[in-house]
């Protein structure tokens, strides 16, 4: 496939602090004072000097290089301030680079923030035609797509109302519909889908998939790893203006999740710092796959386990390992403990290390980041002897979109806090297909 975006040694810097004091005379006074090694005469008493000093430069991007092929859907991820939005602004020609060069082949449509390119005093209808003209479309081409744009955005009732009266959701729906339907060769999308509701996000993902299948190129910036893994085959990870990973989306998202050291997929404690008391204390908790490897990212159709190691110090009580699973909204999905193993629950305890494993079946949890609380408790009396609220975390990702093994429509942001893949028996009266049992 031909290369449509080529980025070579791209850099962008910003100067920190105040730029100019308002008048040329005041700027000259400040410069002359600095040249003589004197304090800034414009600074207030007790105020630190945050003027334009040497070295006060922030590099949003540093010598970034990559290429994008026609029809590729490229994910761009990273923490806030990593340089993702700066990259898209340079590609959109909103800002100029400090160094390096960018070569783009084709017409670009950008959706960098809510209502990009919209004039607040113009109606929705007028803004559709205005954006089409900016993208190089003829009036006839925009007119041919107009009804499709309005239907997608679901703003028919308000299309002749000035967009300054739109809600943020209406704004972004119309902005995305214009950018996606006016047939740009390259579509740049920067996190704006977070503004829309869940139903609209599904429509946007489907539309971007259609855009890619038509041979057009999409650069998609998002903090939602479920959207990234579902839409993008290739992903770039930025950190402090540098590309630290570029390749298969699954591998790159795992690396991104591993950067979150506050909630890793494995945590251990020594005897000295272990949470606990004179009855029991935690020693380790791990998220592992079937082979025992630590996993930060788990496919939705993959079995995995949570392993808890704790030290039992009693013979009179029955300590038990407890797990609470939470999604990104802080909702407790479910809880479980090792007294479900009746043989273990009825066994007499002796002092020593206990290894307790909770096995999670495949096709059970929904997509997203899952955080696990781990605790050690006893019943009768009900006492918590050790607890760690955010002991480990992992990401459930879905690679089955369009995969016949789970059905062509299995992928997607389905409702619900869990997502079991349940067995169904289906028969039509007078007809039976024995392939259903296979």
């Amino acid at each position: 496939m031909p290369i449509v975006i080529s980025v070579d040694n791209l850099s962008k810097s910003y100067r920190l602090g105040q730029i100019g004091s308002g008048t040329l005379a005041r700027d000259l006074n400040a410069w002359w004072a600095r040249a003589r090694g004197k304090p800034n005469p414009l600074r207030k008493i007790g105020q630190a000097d945050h003027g334009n000093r040497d070295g006060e430069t922030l590099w949003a991007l540093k010598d970034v290089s990559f290429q994008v092929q026609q029809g590729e859907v490229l994910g761009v991820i990273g923490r806030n301030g990593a340089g993702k939005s700066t990259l898209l602004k340079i590609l959109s020609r909103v800002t100029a680079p400090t160094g390096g060069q960018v070569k783009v082949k084709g017409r670009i449509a950008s959706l960098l923030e809510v209502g990009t390119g919209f004039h607040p005093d113009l109606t929705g209808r007028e803004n559709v035609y205005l954006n089409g003209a900016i993208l190089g479309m003829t009036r006839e081409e925009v007119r041919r797509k107009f009804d499709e744009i309005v239907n997608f955005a679901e703003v028919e009732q308000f299309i002749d109302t000035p967009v300054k009266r739109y809600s943020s959701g209406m704004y972004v729906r119309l902005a995305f519909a214009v950018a996606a339907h006016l047939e740009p060769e390259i579509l740049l999308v920067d996190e704006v889908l977070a503004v829309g509701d869940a139903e609209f996000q599904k429509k946007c993902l489907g539309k971007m998939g259609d855009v890619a299948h038509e041979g057009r190129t999409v650069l998609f910036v998002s903090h939602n790893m479920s959207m990234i893994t579902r839409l993008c085959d290739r992903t770039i990870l930025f950190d402090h203006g540098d590309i630290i990973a570029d390749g298969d989306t699954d591998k790159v998202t795992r690396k991104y999740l591993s950067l979150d050291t506050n909630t890793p997929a494995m945590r251990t404690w020594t005897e000295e710092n272990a949470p606990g008391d004179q009855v029991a204390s935690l020693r380790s908790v791990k998220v592992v796959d079937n082979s025992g490897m630590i996993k930060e990212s788990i496919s939705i159709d993959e079995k995995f386990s949570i392993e808890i190691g704790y030290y039992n110090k009693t013979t009179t009580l029955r300590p038990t390992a407890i797990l609470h699973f939470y999604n990104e909204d802080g909702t407790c999905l479910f809880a479980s403990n090792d007294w479900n193993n009746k043989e273990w629950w009825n066994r007499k305890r002796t002092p020593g290390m206990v290894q307790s494993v909770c096995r999670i079946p495949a096709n059970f949890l929904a997509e997203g980041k899952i955080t696990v609380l781990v605790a050690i408790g006893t019943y009768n009396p009900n006492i918590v002897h050790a607890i760690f609220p955010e002991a480990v975390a992992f990401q459930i990702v879905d690679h089955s979109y369009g995969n016949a093994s789970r059905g062509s429509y299995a992928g997607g942001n389905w409702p619900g806090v869990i997502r079991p893949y349940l067995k169904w028996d289906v028969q039509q009266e007078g007809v039976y297909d024995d392939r259903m049992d296979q």
Side-chain angles (χ1 to χ4, degrees), residues 267-276 281-284 311 313:
R267 198 183 293 271
T268 59
W269 296 272
T270 64
E271 184 177 354
E272 290 73 24
N273 66 7
S281 61
L282 280 168
R283 294 301 170 86
S284 66
Y311 194 86
K313 308 174 185 179

Side-chain angles (χ1 to χ4, degrees), residues 325-334 371 417:
F325 293 76
Y326 295 86
N327 65 8
E328 293 172 277
D329 298 327
T331 301
C332 183
L333 306 181
F334 66 96
T371 305
V417 294

Side-chain angles (χ1 to χ4, degrees), residues 331-363:
T331 301
C332 183
L333 306 181
F334 66 96
S336 187
N337 52 40
D338 63 10
W339 73 342
N340 290 346
N341 185 319
K342 297 304 180 184
E343 180 185 353
W344 165 248
W345 175 249
N346 293 322
R347 187 185 305 172
K348 183 179 179 180
R349 303 295 196 266
T350 57
M353 281 297 301
V354 178
Q355 189 75 7
S356 193
V357 181
C358 177
R359 305 195 184 280
I360 312 296
N363 302 310

Side-chain angles (χ1 to χ4, degrees), residues 309-427:
Y310 62 96
Y311 194 86
N312 175 50
K313 308 174 185 179
T314 180
T315 58
T316 58
L317 299 175
R318 288 190 174 93
T320 182
I322 305 165
L323 296 176
H324 290 190
F325 293 76
Y326 295 86
N327 65 8
E328 293 172 277
D329 298 327
T331 301
C332 183
L333 306 181
F334 66 96
S336 187
N337 52 40
D338 63 10
W339 73 342
N340 290 346
N341 185 319
K342 297 304 180 184
E343 180 185 353
W344 165 248
W345 175 249
N346 293 322
R347 187 185 305 172
K348 183 179 179 180
R349 303 295 196 266
T350 57
M353 281 297 301
V354 178
Q355 189 75 7
S356 193
V357 181
C358 177
R359 305 195 184 280
I360 312 296
N363 302 310
F364 177 65
L365 289 172
E367 289 180 275
K369 185 175 182 180
I370 309 296
T371 305
V372 183
L373 173 149
V374 61
I376 306 298
T378 53
Y379 297 88
N380 296 323
N382 296 336
I383 300 174
V384 175
H385 301 281
I387 187 169
F388 205 98
E390 294 185 355
V392 289
F394 55 93
Q395 186 86 12
I396 297 292
V397 297
D398 182 13
H399 303 292
S400 63
Y401 188 58
N403 188 330
S405 65
R406 283 180 60 89
S408 298
Y409 304 100
N413 187 19
W414 283 23
V417 294
I418 62 173
R419 188 176 147 189
Y421 187 51
L422 304 176
K423 295 288 186 182
W424 286 57
D425 290 327
V426 182
Q427 296 184 38

Side-chain angles (χ1 to χ4, degrees), residues 169-181:
M170 294 164 60
Y171 227 113
V172 75
R173 289 203 304 268
L174 186 58
F176 181 87
V178 171
H181 285 80

Side-chain angles (χ1 to χ4, degrees), residues 114 130 208 281 438:
V114 176
L130 174 63
M208 284 193 286
S281 61
Q438 295 178 4

Side-chain angles (χ1 to χ4, degrees), residues 60-85:
L61 295 172
K62 294 181 290 187
D63 297 325
V64 169
S65 299
F66 64 91
Q67 293 181 330
V68 185
Q69 295 181 343
Q70 180 181 341
E72 190 171 8
V73 182
L74 178 67
V76 182
I77 61 176
R79 296 170 173 170
N80 291 328
K84 309 182 299 296
S85 297

